[in-house]
Amino acid sequence: MSGKGKQNSKKAMVKSGTSRESGGKLSQQLQQPSTPLAADHSSSDSSEATITLPVIKMIDNSKLLPRYTSILERTAEEGITMEDLDILQNELETLLSATVVRSRLINEEIINLNVSEEKRDKRSKASKSLTLVDKKSRDEKLKPKELGLKSHSPLPTKLMKQRAAGSSATQVVPNPHEIIRVEGSKLDGKSLLPKNDTLNKFWASVEPYCGDITSEDIKLLQDLIAHHSDLGEFKKIPPLGRHYTMVWAEQELMQEEEAGRDPNNTEKKKQSDVTRLLSKVDKKSNGISGPLTQRLVSALLEENVYVANNNADNKLFRDGDPPVLRDLSIQNSMNLEMRMHKELVEQGILDAEPQKKNPEEDEILMEIKRCQRELIALSSHNEQQLKKLLQHAKDECKRQELKRKISTVDNEVVENYTKLVAAKQRKVPLTKKDQEKAWASLKEREQLLEQLNSMPPNDIGEPVVVKPNLDTQC
Amino acid sequence: MPFTADNAAHQIQERLKSINQLVHEIEKARQHSEVNLNNITKTQEKFNSEDKLSAFHQQKLKSVYSAAVADAQQEENLLRKALEKINEIRLIRNERRIQARNAGNKETIRRGALMKMLLSTAQTLPLYVGKTPGAKAPPLCGAVPAEPTYMAKTGDMVAALVKGSEEEENWILAEVVHANTTTNKYEVDDIDEEQKDRHTLSKRRVVPLPLMRADPETDPHALFPKGSIVMALYPQTTCFYKAVVNHLPTTAQEEYEVLFEDATYADGYSPPLNVPQRYVISIKESKKNKNQA
């Protein structure tokens, strides 16, 4: 892409020379040949050196900035006169505009470079999910810039995307806190440099492990547990059906037919084709089943089948065939198979043993049963764990509730204490009512602390015992 | 602060000198940055010949870019300083002019000269170039209206809705003689010297003109979007009429191209006419009647 980019830029340069004419004044700007701003932020590694910088070259001074140039050539005594001012202002403005545009472009380019660099780093180490979130956020930040920072409209949709990405990426349990955090960082991040949301990202990732347990979390756990109870669907063993290759073949045929079908025309005809074809297949495969029967038939019918296939009416057997063969087409071919087997055993050609087993107990069934056993075991284990979690969560909820109460009571106590101190300073004894209130809140606090202590210790390692931090004596 | 003639001349001279100096500094800064810009080109060429951009190359590019940005900022500062000085000179001269007028020596300008003056003041209106991309432009820059509580200062140009002789109302170009912030009333002079009368108008009927031009290259968001309905000064007149923005300026020196509502034309609009940024303001719908073009 780089080679092509160069050529483009030269074209752009030539064009820009003419496009920037204004009111017959100066302001023809030459653009420095460089690669054009491809602005291809989405593809990775796309930030290859690609900017067209508007630069007024020194060589063009006299052409583009005549007054400016003439002032430069004057001696210090001559200086600038009032007459120069208007045109000089114009020329200086042109320069300023070009300079600012240039520095903005370069700045943007630097940001792009940073982005691609970070991407590269990330790719090597950090987990894939994080990069995804990252890339998205980066793109978001860049896009508004491309649009001249004017449009805020793309933001909401992106937040939605971000929500999806964020929640699925970080952990299984979607946590409202975490999402809020990520959103927050997104909004802040827009005005910041791209690097600075690392901090927020860290806290967002830690949040679900430290945050309070909400009723939503508990509900989610309950839902998950409920989910485990209905495994019925997986315990079902479907009845023996046709072999999968046949089902698949049929589906494929249907699909092909679907794809090749003309919108309106010939539809019916083709459909009928398929059904006919299928019925033919059915006839053959259902008619002769069981390995023994098939072997027998193939031994007897080698050439006949061939001929039969060519028959116009697609009949498997010709009218002249012996009645034994007619028997073959009976519907319940299993019977035939069994009869044949019995016959063969009686003749002493076959051993009775291998066929003895129940036709139900083939290896696929065994596998299905094995999988189901595993699934049930796993599910019950998971359920246990979830129940344990739920119990913990509920306990924690109670604990949080207590803590909240304690903190309000704490505040009350502190309030009372300050009142007490104030009263002491003024040497006025506390009113009876105030004293009672103070005692009441103290007692309530103690009681709550007791409750908290009496709760089973949680295994998070958090100190359960809250030391009384205030001692008020009245 | 009042200026004596000598004082003003002295102040202006001083500034002219520093502008001269700044111009030389600017030239030096540009020479300096050109070296770096050439470096960028070379670096890019070199890297472009290779297909993959390695980490090393990125580093290299980044360093030349940073240098170029630093240069550009240096240049920008100097240019801003120089333009600031120029603006100061203009303010001093305007101050002198107001003083002279208050003293009673009113200069009479012929119509042709007046038109020329209007154009040149529009062209030399200070240019606003945002410090950061997307920075919000200040009030009275380009299309950004004044804050609701803003009162124009003495000597400022405004559009004023005045009653003419035949009960018709017109938005005229006027200069503020006095702004009374307690009563919210303006005394304005018609810019056209031939109309001798002075008008006293409530704030509602006065729209201050922009004090700065917006640079279309750096702050396009401070311009009226294409198709917006505005009030614009009809060329070669001193009246504002309703118009539709047809074409935006693309450089700081360019003007808007607008179509005036004009019943004398078949499609109700005048052919495209150019109006400088200074004389294009957001529309203020009068309740009673529209202006007749």
Side-chain angles (χ1 to χ4, degrees):
Chain A
M1 90 163 253
S2 37
K4 232 189 255 168
K6 280 248 9 144
Q7 285 170 356
N8 288 349
S9 77
K10 269 177 188 148
K11 251 182 250 160
M13 177 192 82
V14 174
K15 250 189 244 160
S16 70
T18 51
S19 69
R20 293 183 50 95
E21 211 148 12
S22 72
K25 293 249 149 106
L26 44 137
S27 85
Q28 264 204 347
Q29 288 196 352
L30 273 194
Q31 307 208 341
Q32 177 134 333
S34 64
T35 36
L37 184 72
D40 189 8
H41 300 293
S42 50
S43 74
S44 56
D45 277 331
S46 66
S47 56
E48 270 96 315
T50 49
I51 26 173
T52 317
L53 296 173
V55 173
I56 299 173
K57 290 208 159 195
M58 307 292 284
I59 311 161
D60 305 312
N61 263 0
S62 54
K63 199 166 63 194
L64 303 178
L65 310 164
R67 193 59 61 103
Y68 173 89
T69 317
S70 80
I71 287 170
L72 279 176
E73 281 157 4
R74 288 180 207 167
T75 58
E77 288 85 61
E78 281 172 311
I80 303 174
T81 61
M82 288 306 289
E83 287 75 55
D84 297 325
L85 229 49
D86 289 4
I87 299 171
L88 180 64
Q89 183 188 347
N90 245 326
E91 294 178 356
L92 290 180
E93 281 170 0
T94 311
L95 273 176
L96 176 62
S97 182
T99 310
V100 171
V101 169
R102 170 164 41 118
S103 80
R104 283 183 191 179
L105 278 175
I106 299 176
N107 264 325
E108 221 162 90
E109 206 51 29
I110 290 176
I111 291 171
N112 286 350
L113 277 179
N114 281 338
V115 169
S116 72
E117 218 164 77
E118 262 172 52
K119 259 188 215 157
R120 191 173 305 191
D121 291 351
K122 282 267 163 59
R123 212 176 297 149
S124 55
K125 47 185 178 180
S127 71
K128 206 177 157 195
S129 58
L130 260 178
T131 10
L132 254 173
V133 173
D134 222 48
K135 197 173 139 195
K136 235 174 219 166
S137 73
R138 210 60 72 20
D139 287 348
E140 276 159 40
K141 262 172 247 150
L142 287 172
K143 266 176 204 149
K145 236 168 247 162
E146 286 171 86
L147 303 171
L149 274 172
K150 250 173 135 182
S151 61
H152 292 283
S153 53
L155 214 58
T157 50
K158 262 172 219 140
L159 280 181
M160 296 291 285
K161 263 191 234 154
Q162 172 64 39
R163 193 175 296 221
S167 55
S168 68
T170 27
Q171 74 284 304
V172 197
V173 184
N175 185 319
H177 300 295
E178 190 254 339
I179 292 163
I180 288 160
R181 266 301 178 82
V182 173
E183 272 175 25
S185 73
K186 195 105 294 84
L187 293 171
D188 299 344
K190 216 176 70 124
S191 56
L192 294 174
L193 287 170
K195 267 184 181 172
N196 282 5
D197 55 1
T198 325
L199 204 70
N200 286 334
K201 241 182 271 158
F202 168 72
W203 286 116
S205 68
V206 165
E207 172 81 48
Y209 300 100
C210 314
D212 279 359
I213 290 170
T214 63
S215 57
E216 270 170 65
D217 297 330
I218 289 178
K219 193 163 171 286
L220 187 95
L221 281 173
Q222 281 166 342
D223 283 353
L224 281 174
I225 291 172
H227 213 70
H228 278 285
S229 60
D230 60 311
L231 283 173
E233 197 194 327
F234 303 107
K235 282 181 193 155
K236 264 188 276 172
I237 298 172
L240 218 53
R242 284 191 297 162
H243 197 256
Y244 71 94
T245 49
M246 290 199 263
V247 180
W248 287 1
E250 188 178 322
Q251 278 170 355
E252 250 165 54
L253 212 60
M254 288 296 247
Q255 262 172 15
E256 255 167 55
E257 196 254 354
E258 196 87 7
R261 181 190 295 171
D262 268 347
N264 334 316
N265 213 6
T266 65
E267 198 173 306
K268 257 195 184 154
K269 196 184 143 209
K270 280 203 174 161
Q271 191 119 39
S272 67
D273 268 1
V274 169
T275 42
R276 213 178 51 205
L277 225 63
L278 284 175
S279 69
K280 200 161 76 183
V281 172
D282 275 356
K283 217 194 267 172
K284 272 185 200 162
S285 48
N286 283 348
I288 312 161
S289 67
L292 290 174
T293 328
Q294 269 172 28
R295 263 167 78 185
L296 177 68
V297 170
S298 66
L300 294 173
L301 271 185
E302 218 164 349
E303 48 196 328
N304 282 350
V305 169
Y306 183 68
V307 177
N309 271 346
N310 287 342
N311 271 357
D313 55 359
N314 280 318
K315 264 196 180 166
L316 202 51
F317 309 104
R318 282 180 292 182
D319 296 340
D321 282 337
V324 193
L325 287 178
R326 294 212 168 245
D327 260 6
L328 286 175
S329 63
I330 50 172
Q331 281 306 310
N332 197 350
S333 52
M334 260 334 202
N335 282 347
L336 177 65
E337 178 85 6
M338 262 143 79
R339 215 175 83 198
M340 208 136 70
H341 183 249
K342 209 171 123 198
E343 203 97 346
L344 285 169
V345 171
E346 273 171 13
Q347 299 282 326
I349 300 170
L350 266 180
D351 270 347
E353 279 313 303
Q355 285 288 328
K356 205 109 202 215
K357 61 182 173 185
N358 195 336
E360 297 266 297
E361 279 186 17
D362 52 27
E363 49 192 294
I364 292 174
L365 186 74
M366 303 250 286
E367 186 63 20
I368 291 175
K369 285 191 168 154
R370 196 185 59 79
C371 284
Q372 281 177 345
R373 269 199 305 278
E374 241 168 59
L375 177 70
I376 289 165
L378 195 69
S379 157
S380 68
H381 177 76
N382 281 348
E383 202 176 341
Q384 257 176 11
Q385 294 297 321
L386 280 170
K387 277 182 178 154
K388 223 157 110 189
L389 252 179
L390 183 66
Q391 194 51 44
H392 278 307
K394 278 179 174 163
D395 285 352
E396 193 55 36
C397 248
K398 277 181 209 152
R399 200 167 284 138
Q400 279 168 10
E401 185 59 32
L402 272 177
K403 276 181 192 165
R404 235 169 279 142
K405 273 187 197 157
I406 287 172
S407 77
T408 55
V409 176
D410 270 352
N411 282 339
E412 262 173 52
V413 171
V414 171
E415 236 171 66
N416 284 322
Y417 177 73
T418 50
K419 244 186 231 166
L420 179 77
V421 168
K424 265 189 182 163
Q425 268 176 351
R426 275 186 275 126
K427 304 239 160 100
V428 185
L430 221 55
T431 61
K432 184 112 180 161
K433 209 173 137 201
D434 278 345
Q435 267 195 28
E436 266 168 20
K437 238 172 54 194
W439 274 115
S441 53
L442 265 178
K443 285 224 176 85
E444 196 187 341
R445 181 168 182 277
E446 251 160 45
Q447 204 190 333
L448 284 169
L449 280 177
E450 194 100 335
Q451 271 181 42
L452 189 62
N453 284 340
S454 68
M455 288 191 76
N458 59 4
D459 35 7
I460 308 168
E462 173 191 357
V464 175
V465 182
V466 181
K467 282 242 169 97
N469 48 4
L470 252 190
D471 254 336
T472 31
Q473 305 113 330
C474 293
Chain B
M1 47 174 171
F3 287 108
T4 61
D6 281 353
N7 194 354
H10 179 68
Q11 295 247 15
I12 289 175
Q13 273 313 314
E14 222 170 63
R15 283 176 173 81
L16 285 176
K17 250 183 231 153
S18 59
I19 292 169
N20 197 2
Q21 205 181 331
L22 280 168
V23 167
H24 281 91
E25 279 177 44
I26 290 165
E27 185 66 7
K28 239 181 266 161
R30 288 180 55 210
Q31 270 162 7
H32 184 73
S33 38
E34 195 159 84
V35 176
N36 242 323
L37 291 170
N38 286 337
N39 264 344
I40 290 184
T41 322
K42 269 186 222 142
T43 319
Q44 285 176 344
E45 263 163 25
K46 203 163 71 199
F47 296 164
N48 284 338
S49 58
E50 299 158 36
D51 267 353
K52 189 100 176 78
L53 198 65
S54 69
F56 166 73
H57 288 158
Q58 283 200 353
Q59 278 304 330
K60 180 91 210 268
L61 260 184
K62 231 161 84 177
S63 69
V64 281
Y65 280 162
S66 314
V69 167
D71 288 345
Q73 263 154 7
Q74 170 79 0
E75 251 182 88
E76 188 185 327
N77 286 341
L78 289 170
L79 285 165
R80 279 188 198 277
K81 251 190 229 164
L83 287 169
E84 173 80 7
K85 293 280 173 208
I86 292 178
N87 193 34
E88 278 173 21
I89 292 178
R90 292 198 197 289
L91 290 177
I92 291 170
R93 295 190 73 198
N94 197 36
E95 195 71 25
R96 282 287 301 153
R97 191 178 57 81
I98 294 168
Q99 277 175 29
R101 190 186 55 194
N102 288 349
N105 11 339
K106 194 164 182 173
E107 73 269 57
T108 41
I109 312 176
R110 281 179 304 106
R111 204 175 169 85
L114 174 72
M115 289 303 152
K116 220 170 147 192
M117 193 266 286
L118 289 182
L119 184 67
S120 90
T121 50
Q123 279 168 349
T124 58
L125 200 65
L127 181 73
Y128 169 77
V129 176
K131 288 244 164 68
T132 54
K136 204 164 163 266
L140 288 179
C141 160
V144 184
E147 278 164 19
T149 53
Y150 176 84
M151 289 289 275
K153 285 165 201 61
T154 306
D156 281 355
M157 297 276 231
V158 294
L161 184 63
V162 297
K163 271 204 179 69
S165 44
E166 288 125 34
E167 277 304 302
E168 97 277 11
E169 288 192 320
N170 267 330
W171 283 97
I172 60 159
L173 183 61
E175 187 185 336
V176 174
V177 180
H178 182 69
N180 190 336
T181 46
T182 49
T183 58
N184 271 344
K185 290 225 162 157
Y186 284 106
E187 273 176 61
V188 300
D189 265 350
D190 195 328
I191 206 79
D192 193 347
E193 304 283 334
E194 284 158 26
Q195 255 80 37
K196 285 286 173 227
D197 37 340
R198 182 167 286 192
H199 307 272
T200 305
L201 298 167
S202 84
K203 192 167 174 292
R204 214 160 34 76
R205 301 167 80 86
V206 171
V207 179
L209 297 191
L211 296 175
M212 277 185 278
R213 282 176 294 148
D215 186 351
E217 286 177 274
T218 59
D219 300 86
H221 53 279
L223 294 171
F224 287 107
K226 187 181 156 90
S228 46
I229 313 273
V230 293
M231 298 273 290
L233 194 75
Y234 206 97
Q236 302 305 318
T237 73
T238 58
C239 283
F240 288 83
Y241 297 107
K242 213 167 157 184
V244 182
V245 174
N246 190 39
H247 217 285
L248 267 60
T250 55
T251 68
Q253 283 77 28
E254 272 178 36
E255 305 180 340
Y256 280 103
E257 190 184 282
V258 301
L259 307 173
F260 284 96
E261 263 187 14
D262 194 335
T264 56
Y265 290 93
D267 56 355
Y269 287 101
S270 71
L273 289 166
N274 286 341
V275 180
Q277 276 197 45
R278 188 186 198 196
Y279 302 123
V280 178
I281 53 176
S282 55
I283 189 114
K284 220 177 192 186
E285 207 64 68
S286 73
K287 272 170 222 139
K288 264 168 62 187
N289 60 338
K290 303 275 163 60
N291 317 295
Q292 48 275 62

